[in-house]
Amino acid sequence: MRYFSLFILLVLSALRTSAQPAPLLPWSDIPSPKYEVRAMWLTVIMGLDWPKTTDQEAQRRHLIQILDKLRDAGINTVLIQARVRATTIYPSKLEPWEGGFSGRPGVAPAYDPLKFCIDECHKRGMECHAWVVTLPVGDWNKIGAQQLRKKRSILLKRIGSDTFMNPEKPETATYLADICREIVHNYDVDGIHLDYIRYPEQEKIKVSRAKGRENITNIVRAIHNAVKQEKPWVKLSCAPIGKHDDLTRYRAGGWNARTAVCQDAQEWLRLGLMDQLYPMMYFQGNNFYPFAIDWKEKSYGRTVSSGLGIYFLDPREGTWTLDMVERQMYVARQLGLGHCYFRSQFFTDNVKGVYDFAKRFDATPALVPPMTWEGKPAPSAPTTISLQGNNLSWSGAEDNSGAPYLLYNVYASADYPVDITKAENLMATRLTTTSMLVPQASVNYAVTSMNRYGQESPAIQLLLNAGPEYSAQLIAKSDGKAIVLPKKESTLDADFVIVEDMKGAAIGIYPYSETLDIRHLPDGMYQLRSLGRKGRTHRIGFFAKKSPGLLIK
């Protein structure tokens, strides 16, 4: 890993010294992964992203437009600001309503914005995480701080005109855990996303850094326990400062997560208190790339996505050019990091072409990486699949993870069997139904089931378009004990055949002859490959063994 890091740094150094900065590789040369977080921060405070009006029907239409654009650009995770400044976008027993929806703070709109956003995200195959602003509770005289002062004044401290929850009070952890528990209990969220889970930078920390980190970690632990006790499949994440701490060769410039504000995010990953991180990496050059490598190397098998400061593309906010963002995205992908944009309006407004680039960069769909660390079993594959007209349907999958329902992913390809390891074959993700309308096209389909932990089953395959080459390769004769192999052409350099299961795992290697004994094979579908003297293989056919005889598909 150290050599890999050094290699990346050397390449980046060369890029930075070139007269015309260029991406690490052309976007088409970096494989688009099947698993990658592609996220968006959707800001509610002051209506920055949403809502833009107090007309509640217009609010719903606008959110649908936003989510449609995000889906079309490959976004698979939406972080919606649910707790703003001790105010909420959902009916809470603990805190008052955020005023942007009804037009009056503390007054409920005629609908539930959080539920509406969750439902609309799920319709589009996207995860929806409730973004919870933790310690800041806003202006001392605004409704959030006012009402919290009346109920829990001991938890608050004033810094200038702003109000913060005191991280040194044990009751703060309990209160914030109750907020998150309320959301998880009442809503079908896919995650809880914590913001400002750190000491306020507006004041000097009076305790030791070790004690400060302990105080913040205690809050994280309380929230983690509350969330996982309710629904263990709900992801817990946070948005730490973009530089975790000083590195050996690169200083953080006094502004980092662990030392400056006692935000020990990498330790939270190591302890299993966080499932994901979205570090706010709103920097360039040596303030981005070495720290991106550090986040990856200290991810402990969990998911990290680089927060991209695309707001700096707006001339009113900064002087970034699009190629700066592009280069960060190339490097993040090569490191195995996801990406998260701050924030939605700059993205959907296509500032300096960022939306157009994202659509190209993420043209191939991606699934959110599975929570393998939870140790849950993958569900079983569907047992039936059929196509009637344009309606593809399936059934029979079973789940033992304890989550309430299964999701389904649909793949399509001209090849058979459809390769579900290839992201480009993904056609639809996270479906909650067992059917979908598909184009009348000469392709083959595969469907997998997926539990709420992201664990995916094997695929059930539907062969619709064999094609002339495949048809000629079908093994067409058997007595139930052996199959007749295709005649070996003179141009075929093959002395052996490999029997593989439909995932491509080799079952055995046998001499290439007229027949192949299959009595030792369990019932199932298999593929055959020839094996040449130079180790080259070619697929030559498929067969399915079904006792007491053989069924050719």
Side-chain angles (χ1 to χ4, degrees), residues 427-447:
M427 183 179 187
T429 62
R430 293 179 55 85
L431 294 176
T432 57
T433 60
T434 55
S435 66
M436 70 172 291
L437 296 178
V438 296
Q440 285 188 335
S442 297
V443 296
N444 306 300
Y445 293 100
V447 178

Side-chain angles (χ1 to χ4, degrees), residues 83-84 97 151 218 241 251 315 340 342 396 440 464:
R83 186 195 193 225
V84 185
W97 275 93
K151 296 186 299 182
N218 286 340
I241 302 300
R251 307 286 294 176
C340 184
F342 186 81
Q440 285 188 335
L464 295 174

Side-chain angles (χ1 to χ4, degrees), residues 239-313:
I241 302 300
K243 306 171 191 177
H244 183 253
D245 214 337
D246 288 339
L247 304 178
T248 303
R249 293 181 56 195
Y250 297 92
R251 307 286 294 176
W255 181 233
N256 60 61
R258 186 174 185 271
T259 299
V261 290
C262 298
Q263 191 177 43
D264 206 358
Q266 291 179 352
E267 178 70 358
W268 301 339
L269 290 179
R270 189 188 71 81
L271 293 173
L273 299 178
M274 286 280 167
D275 301 298
Q276 299 178 327
L277 293 183
Y278 296 81
M280 299 179 291
M281 304 185 68
Y282 310 154
F283 313 106
Q284 284 294 327
N286 285 341
N287 289 308
F288 180 93
Y289 300 108
F291 295 94
I293 294 168
D294 180 59
W295 285 115
K296 178 61 180 178
E297 291 185 340
K298 306 288 178 50
S299 61
Y300 299 99
R302 307 295 172 106
T303 306
V304 178
S305 301
S306 54
L308 303 175
I310 62 169
Y311 64 97
F312 284 125
L313 292 171

Side-chain angles (χ1 to χ4, degrees), residues 465-473:
N465 176 40
E469 180 182 357
Y470 176 78
S471 297
Q473 293 175 349

Side-chain angles (χ1 to χ4, degrees), residues 82-102:
R83 186 195 193 225
V84 185
R85 292 294 186 272
T87 55
T88 67
I89 73 166
Y90 61 92
S92 171
K93 293 182 179 179
L94 300 172
E95 296 188 327
W97 275 93
E98 171 68 17
F101 294 92
S102 69

Side-chain angles (χ1 to χ4, degrees), residues 41 43 45 81 83-85 130-136 176 180 192-198 223 236-241 263 268 274 278 280 282 342:
W41 277 294
T43 306
I45 191 169
Q81 198 171 29
R83 186 195 193 225
V84 185
R85 292 294 186 272
W131 165 9
V132 175
V133 178
T134 55
L135 295 179
L176 290 172
C180 296
I192 293 291
H193 177 66
L194 306 179
D195 196 9
Y196 285 96
I197 187 72
R198 63 183 192 251
I223 294 172
L236 185 63
S237 68
C238 74
I241 302 300
Q263 191 177 43
W268 301 339
M274 286 280 167
Y278 296 81
M280 299 179 291
Y282 310 154
F342 186 81

